[in-house]
Amino acid sequence: MPSVMTKKNVVAIIVAAGSGNRSGLAQPKQYERLGGRAVLDYSYAALSRHPMVDRVVVVIGEGQQQMATKALAAFVDEAEFVVGGADRRASVLNGLKHVERTGRAENVLIHDAARPFLPAPVVDRLIEALGTHDGAIPVLPLSDTLVRGQDGMMVDGVSRESLYRVQTPQAFRFRAILQAHLCCSADAPITDDAGLLHSMGVKVALVEGDPKLEKLTYSADFDCAQTIQTVDRQPRTGMGFDVHRLVAGKPLWLCGVEIAHSHGLSGHSDADVGIHAMVDALLGALADGDIGSHFSPTDPQWRDAPSHRFLTFARDRVKARGGMISHIDLTIICEIPRIGPHRAAMRARAAQLLDIPIQRVSVKATTTEKLGFAGRGEGIAAQAVATIMLPNL
Ligand code: MG
């Protein structure tokens, strides 16, 4: 039996109000795309889907409403924005005041949008620590040697012992952190929320952070984040199957290649059965409907349409989800024509359309020993298996 979780009334505030001008990017870093998603979308998703978090409020900069709405398009029904202040501290206070005005919160997590990869166990540890403390922060030990320097010269070494790097989210009992923000002098040289609380004499617990929670500050951090994002993908598999009838006097398209033959495939589009199977396999891996739900067979705009358009559409759906196509395996089932002589051209064309190396595309063929509709030459069938890698949500 799972243990019954006590409701802790946790609100998360994501601070996304910065202009991010140290990153050298065209727009504030929290709205920059990372694997097809905005940076802000990652931590929003992590917090919003965490079972202990009841509500997520995003503090944005003046004039950032449009960018923020676009960044959180997947959460259009629930995303809640508040405009921030002149600096980070003023922005957090605006967020806290908004929460106080609009609901009830016993606990609050305050998180920087520039830390996109937020593992759920960090949130678990923070909320657990709030059971016994007014504040808790995720920290990591230092691994580099530390020195003090002056005028470009080493002065002396500094012991790493009892030093930690502090990450976010930082977790607080709501009343305590609101009080600290309201009471602490505005020009106190304190850079984070835990510092404010601590300066009031309140004890703050340390919990284990996570290396993935690194903050994106410089453009090089984005390269590193791209790598994490790539590693953080999971394989998904989809299957596609299609059949079209062979009729006399039509061009025969298979896997994007025109093949000289007495018969061609009949259908609303060019009836390229190989491509249709691959499209359904990709859409299946995305759990995103099928070819008919995106390209209705009754819609006149797809009459005689070249099927490569359907395949590039499916490819772009994978890209839009931050995914990549690992592999396609296509089997064409027919008695005639012989597929062997065209196999290399089919692989090359499919790889080109899918924008992947040819080594990741397999095209096979089989007959049905003259059995059934394929065996009688009445039609051609195709089946495909697609393997894609999608961000781990
Ligand atoms: Mg079809």
Side-chain angles (χ1 to χ4, degrees), residues 45-375:
L47 287 164
S48 146
R49 289 172 185 158
H50 193 285
M52 302 281 278
V53 176
D54 301 294
R55 178 180 171 200
V56 186
V57 171
V58 184
V59 185
I60 60 171
E62 192 80 55
Q64 292 181 351
Q65 177 83 35
Q66 214 177 342
M67 281 190 287
T69 307
K70 192 175 160 213
L72 297 182
F75 300 95
V76 67
D77 296 332
E78 60 174 86
E80 202 178 329
F81 301 112
V82 189
V83 174
D87 55 21
R88 186 184 182 283
R89 189 169 154 189
S91 291
V92 172
L93 183 55
N94 280 8
L96 291 168
K97 284 180 173 170
H98 171 81
V99 170
E100 193 190 30
R101 267 197 314 272
T102 53
R104 200 170 73 89
E106 275 165 37
N107 299 297
V108 62
L109 297 166
I110 302 176
H111 184 58
D112 288 335
R115 298 181 191 269
F117 307 120
L118 172 50
V122 175
V123 176
D124 295 342
R125 290 194 281 273
L126 288 165
I127 293 175
E128 194 190 338
L130 287 186
T132 43
H133 298 88
D134 281 339
I137 56 177
V139 298
L140 285 180
L142 291 153
S143 55
D144 294 328
T145 297
L146 300 180
V147 297
R148 214 182 308 273
Q150 197 173 14
D151 303 327
M153 300 300 286
M154 176 173 164
V155 176
D156 54 15
V158 179
S159 167
R160 284 192 303 235
E161 203 183 338
S162 73
L163 288 182
Y164 295 94
R165 297 190 294 134
V166 178
Q167 303 181 314
T168 75
Q170 300 189 346
F172 306 99
R173 290 190 182 151
F174 186 80
R175 284 284 136 208
I177 193 65
L178 179 62
Q179 199 63 18
H181 266 271
L182 292 171
C183 295
C184 200
S185 134
D187 48 10
I190 295 172
T191 55
D192 69 348
D193 305 291
L196 286 179
L197 191 64
H198 186 258
S199 75
M200 309 284 293
V202 178
K203 285 190 173 176
V204 175
L206 305 184
V207 306
E208 190 189 348
D210 193 299
K212 279 204 273 185
L213 257 175
E214 285 309 281
K215 189 174 189 170
L216 305 181
T217 304
Y218 303 100
S219 60
D221 300 339
F222 274 79
D223 299 338
C224 180
Q226 291 286 5
T227 310
I228 294 177
Q229 197 266 341
T230 308
V231 173
D232 219 27
R233 285 172 169 153
Q234 277 187 337
R236 307 277 171 89
T237 306
M239 213 185 89
F241 178 76
D242 196 27
V243 174
H244 281 269
R245 183 184 295 277
L246 277 166
V247 294
K250 273 206 77 173
L252 175 60
W253 285 92
L254 276 176
C255 209
V257 174
E258 187 172 10
I259 291 170
H261 189 53
S262 58
H263 290 60
L265 292 170
S266 127
H268 186 62
S269 64
D270 68 8
D272 187 328
V273 72
I275 284 190
H276 294 187
M278 290 193 282
V279 171
D280 266 355
L282 288 169
L283 294 173
L286 289 170
D288 185 16
D290 61 20
I291 192 167
S293 59
H294 293 282
F295 304 98
S296 166
T298 57
D299 187 336
Q301 69 169 309
W302 309 122
R303 179 181 296 282
D304 297 324
S307 293
H308 64 76
R309 291 174 58 185
F310 308 150
L311 192 57
T312 51
F313 168 86
R315 172 200 73 195
D316 291 343
R317 297 288 277 196
V318 176
K319 285 187 180 174
R321 291 267 293 274
M324 57 163 288
I325 300 167
S326 289
H327 186 256
I328 290 273
D329 184 19
L330 174 70
T331 303
I332 297 170
I333 303 157
C334 63
E335 207 67 38
I336 46 163
R338 287 188 56 230
I339 299 301
H342 308 285
R343 185 204 303 263
M346 289 178 179
R347 282 182 77 201
R349 179 63 174 148
Q352 179 198 27
L353 292 169
L354 293 166
D355 199 14
I356 57 176
I358 193 167
Q359 293 83 355
R360 293 169 178 244
V361 180
S362 154
V363 175
K364 315 198 297 297
T366 185
T367 71
T368 56
E369 301 281 332
K370 297 207 158 55
L371 295 165
F373 69 85

